[in-house]
Amino acid sequence: MKLDPLPRFFPLERTLALSDGVFAVVITLLVLGIEVPERGTLGNEELAKLGHQILIYFVSFCLVAMYWSQQSLLFAGLRRMERRTLVLTLLFLLPVTLLPFVTQFMGTWRDSWEVVAVFAATNLLAGLGFLGLCRHLVGEPELHEAADSAKLARRLSVGFVFLVSIMGFGVLIALIDVRAGIVCFVLLPIAHFVNYLRNAQSPPPQTPPPGILTKTNPPQQKHKQRIADEEVK
């Protein structure tokens, strides 16, 4: 018995809902990696441990927010979703769901190069997953609303090549000094959001039609505007 082929395209709204739900759960679970110290035990060692866990939580929170913001930008210009894009999206989300566990692991085991490597490898897989998703969408122009959307996918892929490079550099730095390697992971999302806000484009100013006076048209130009309207007629 021959089965009918499966449809190529998939509802875009369902993929967006799944991705947003995964990111919402992951970013909420991150805080569970911070252990509440017992009463009367807040010595220097406990404070240092608590501060380290909060730092790792901050890094993971910013990284997850970075992944979500980049994926939101990438999908904003799509008009439809096909099966390969859906599979690549799921592969991208797979390492993202491991971040709460990896964050708690890194917060508990301080000054361990192996744990830093596991943390970096998880984010490296997420970065490679998103990179593969971008590269795929660059070659699928029929999925985009406009040509600018494909250009954005190409630009995001270049940015994640930089992310992957920084992750590898952070692991190499951690071989010498674990805390210095962690600093690389702290600076990465901060640099991303600074660039994200700096490149935010405001909508272009609208030109008022002939004969309409706005705040940009002073009253003394009323006579000139009337003459220009008469010439057009």
Side-chain angles (χ1 to χ4, degrees), residues 12-123:
L12 178 61
E13 295 78 11
R14 297 193 63 184
T15 307
L16 294 176
L18 173 65
S19 298
D20 289 344
V22 168
F23 279 109
V25 172
V26 167
I27 213 167
T28 303
L29 291 178
L30 290 176
V31 75
L32 298 181
I34 302 177
E35 299 178 3
V36 179
E38 297 182 4
R39 198 174 209 180
T41 60
L42 279 179
N44 293 334
E45 181 64 25
E46 289 295 329
L47 285 175
K49 180 180 178 181
L50 182 62
H52 176 75
Q53 291 177 347
I54 293 176
L55 174 63
I56 301 305
Y57 163 76
F58 172 78
V59 175
S60 295
F61 182 94
C62 292
L63 286 171
V64 174
M66 180 181 68
Y67 296 145
W68 176 80
S69 65
Q70 295 295 82
Q71 190 202 44
S72 299
L73 283 176
L74 182 64
F75 283 0
L78 296 183
R79 60 174 177 164
R80 56 173 62 179
M81 174 71 61
E82 49 92 31
R83 284 183 289 170
R84 287 187 179 180
T85 309
L86 174 63
V87 172
L88 289 173
T89 302
L90 294 175
L91 291 176
F92 162 60
L93 293 176
L94 176 59
V96 173
T97 59
L98 291 174
L99 284 177
F101 165 73
V102 176
T103 300
Q104 185 174 11
F105 190 33
M106 191 172 179
T108 303
W109 293 73
R110 290 188 298 163
D111 300 329
S112 173
W113 177 85
E114 293 81 3
V115 175
V116 175
V118 171
F119 182 83
T122 305
N123 286 278

Side-chain angles (χ1 to χ4, degrees), residues 73-74 77 134 147-157:
L73 283 176
L74 182 64
C134 290
D148 290 343
S149 179
K151 293 179 181 178
L152 177 62
R154 186 178 294 106
R155 179 180 175 183
L156 292 177
S157 67

